[in-house]
């Protein structure tokens, strides 16, 4: 009896410590597993990785390594909008990582101070553009294409494995504006003017839009072609230097001196309106070296040409009135008579009685 009981107590003594260790391990691993679970999708090919459905493998291939630092290498990417892009995501470490690309524009929307639960909640509220889990040693290929409306924005990418983003596993994807869809030609003259001084980009269906501009110098002075970033804003001659200091121009091309020299560049236009462009060389703007770029607005109609008629209509009208008055007066004069009446002939008096 006593021997039996002591053997049972001995068995409990061996099992209980292992049980305690097991419960502790589960308690430690549990939260991590529960956070990670939603993102460890077994979708290994494309995931829900397409900003535009049906994106094909692109001419632009961007390799990204996911490391145990933990970090992305590189931690910044750039691709144009409306172009198919292929991401090659390689996990070079020994731990799981995810490549999760936020759909909310901004460089610092996701904060490293967030808890894994907050990161999780963010991506439940804002479905990511890309969300793939990459196992150690694996490479995942993702095809995507950014819409034109996403251009000129930054999108963060992070690993949502708990505490990896918080430890610095993050990067920023910049979507550039794509290829130019409009061509503009402009020239500068020694009479300190732009020729033409009105440019137009019309029938734009979506912004931002890129225009390619070629500026040719027809004279010997050097100039600049500097476009205001503000729509419907008239630049003042008095403070244009400080204006462009605080408002980065859409483009500022130095036009080299010498007839025939040419310079070209792209400018990105975010919306419709009238954008003034000027020459920054001191004195040139004041002398009249400016023009206007009309975006989705037709240039104003030219002022009516001066009449080439020798005699204007209104002048004829007034002349006719004066002529009429003169005729009436002449008629009245001739009828009534103004000249002194002819003296009434004195009746011949009879011979004086004298
Ligand atoms: Cu100039």
């Amino acid at each position: 009896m006593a021997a039996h009981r002591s053997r049972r107590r001995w068995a409990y003594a061996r099992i209980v410590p292992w049980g305690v260790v097991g419960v502790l391990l589960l308690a430690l691993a549990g939260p991590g597993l529960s956070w990670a679970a939603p993102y460890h999708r077994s979708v290994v090919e494309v995931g829900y990785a397409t900003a535009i459905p049906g994106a094909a493998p692109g001419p632009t291939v961007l390799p990204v390594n996911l490391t145990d630092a933990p970090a992305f290498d590189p931690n910044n990417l750039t691709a144009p909008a409306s172009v198919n892009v292929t991401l090659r995501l390689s996990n070079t470490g020994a731990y799981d990582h995810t490549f999760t690309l936020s759909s909310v524009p901004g460089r610092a929307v996701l904060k490293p101070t967030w808890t894994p639960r907050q990161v999780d909640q963010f991506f439940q509220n804002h479905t990511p553009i890309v969300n793939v889990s990459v196992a150690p040693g694996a490479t995942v290929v993702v095809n995507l294409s950014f819409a034109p409306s996403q251009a000129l924005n930054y999108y963060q990418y992070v690993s949502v494995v708990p505490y990896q983003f918080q430890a610095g596993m993050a990067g920023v994807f910049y979507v550039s504006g794509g290829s130019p869809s409009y061509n503009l030609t402009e020239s500068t003259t020694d009479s300190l003017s732009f020729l033409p001084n009105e440019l137009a980009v019309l029938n734009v269906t979506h912004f931002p839009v890129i225009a390619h501009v070629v500026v040719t110098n027809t004279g010997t002075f050097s100039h600049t072609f500097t476009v205001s970033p503000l729509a419907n804003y008239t630049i003042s001659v008095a403070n244009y230097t400080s204006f462009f200091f605080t408002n980065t121009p859409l483009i500022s091309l130095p036009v080299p001196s010498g007839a025939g020299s040419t310079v070209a560049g792209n400018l990105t236009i975010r919306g419709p309106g009238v954008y003034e462009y000027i020459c920054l060389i001191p004195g040139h703007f004041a002398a009249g070296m400016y023009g206007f770029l009309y975006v989705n607005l037709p240039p104003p109609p030219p002022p009516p040409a001066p009449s080439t008629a020798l005699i204007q209509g209104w002048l004829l009208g007034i002349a006719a009135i004066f002529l009429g008055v003169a005729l009436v007066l002449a008629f009245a004069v001739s009828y009534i008579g103004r000249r002194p009446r002819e003296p009434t002939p004195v009746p011949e008096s009879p011979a004086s009685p004298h």
Side-chain angles (χ1 to χ4, degrees):
M1 219 19 204
H4 186 71
R5 227 158 79 189
S6 79
R7 192 177 297 152
R8 228 158 82 186
R9 195 179 294 155
W10 178 85
Y12 278 127
R14 283 194 74 173
I15 288 165
V16 166
W18 284 112
V20 168
V21 168
V23 166
L24 278 174
L25 278 175
L26 272 175
L28 283 172
L33 289 173
S34 67
W35 300 130
Y39 299 102
H40 284 260
R41 293 168 193 268
S42 53
V43 184
V44 186
E45 276 302 309
V46 178
Y48 42 101
T50 46
I52 290 178
T60 305
V61 177
L62 302 174
V64 181
N65 286 338
L66 291 72
T67 77
D68 285 347
F72 293 105
D73 181 23
N75 63 5
N76 61 84
L77 298 169
T78 301
S82 310
V83 163
N84 291 330
V85 176
T86 296
L87 293 174
R88 288 183 58 82
L89 309 168
S90 301
N91 186 341
T92 59
Y95 291 91
D96 276 350
H97 299 288
T98 80
F99 181 91
T100 306
L101 178 60
S102 170
S103 58
V104 179
R107 267 182 280 198
V109 179
L110 285 119
K111 308 269 191 284
T113 52
W114 288 1
T115 63
R117 178 184 278 281
Q118 287 174 302
V119 174
D120 173 84
Q121 193 59 52
F122 176 84
F123 283 117
Q124 280 183 18
N125 295 341
H126 310 280
T127 305
I129 298 170
V130 175
N131 181 30
V132 287
S133 180
V134 188
T139 293
V140 176
V141 173
V142 170
N143 300 321
L144 72 151
S145 174
F146 290 96
S149 60
Q150 291 173 302
L152 308 186
N153 282 310
Y154 295 88
Y155 297 90
Q156 289 169 283
Y157 52 92
V158 303
S159 173
V160 296
V161 174
Y163 299 109
Q164 291 191 354
F165 165 51
Q166 290 81 356
M169 191 156 184
V172 169
F173 202 136
Y174 178 68
V175 183
S176 59
S179 51
S181 34
Y182 289 86
N183 288 306
L184 301 170
T185 52
E186 181 58 273
S187 58
T188 57
T189 75
D190 272 358
S191 53
L192 305 188
S193 64
F194 286 110
L195 197 70
N197 60 7
E198 284 177 355
L199 295 170
V201 168
L202 305 177
N203 307 316
V204 178
T205 52
H206 51 246
F207 289 97
V209 68
I210 296 182
H212 183 72
V213 61
V214 178
V215 185
T216 305
N217 198 343
T218 64
T220 50
F221 301 146
S222 57
H223 303 281
T224 78
F225 175 77
T226 305
V227 183
S228 165
L230 300 190
N232 312 319
Y233 180 86
T234 306
I235 304 168
S236 145
V237 171
N239 65 4
Y240 69 91
T241 310
S242 61
F243 172 80
F244 279 114
F245 186 76
T246 46
N247 301 280
T248 308
L250 295 185
I251 192 171
S252 190
L253 290 173
V255 186
S257 64
S261 62
T262 286
V263 68
N266 288 346
L267 64 151
T268 302
I269 306 159
R270 286 177 176 272
V274 184
Y275 298 82
E276 188 170 8
Y277 54 90
I278 71 164
C279 173
L280 293 177
I281 304 291
H284 289 200
F285 178 30
M289 195 150 187
Y290 61 92
F292 296 95
L293 167 64
Y294 294 85
V295 180
N296 267 14
L297 303 168
S307 172
T308 51
L310 287 173
I311 298 171
Q312 304 282 349
W314 57 271
L315 204 56
L316 277 175
I318 290 175
I321 290 168
F322 273 102
L323 195 63
V325 169
L327 279 171
V328 166
L329 284 176
F331 182 76
V333 164
S334 70
Y335 184 76
I336 299 165
R338 267 242 176 132
R339 291 165 292 167
R341 290 169 183 266
E342 283 182 24
T344 318
V346 179
E348 232 163 274
S349 53
S352 101
H354 301 282

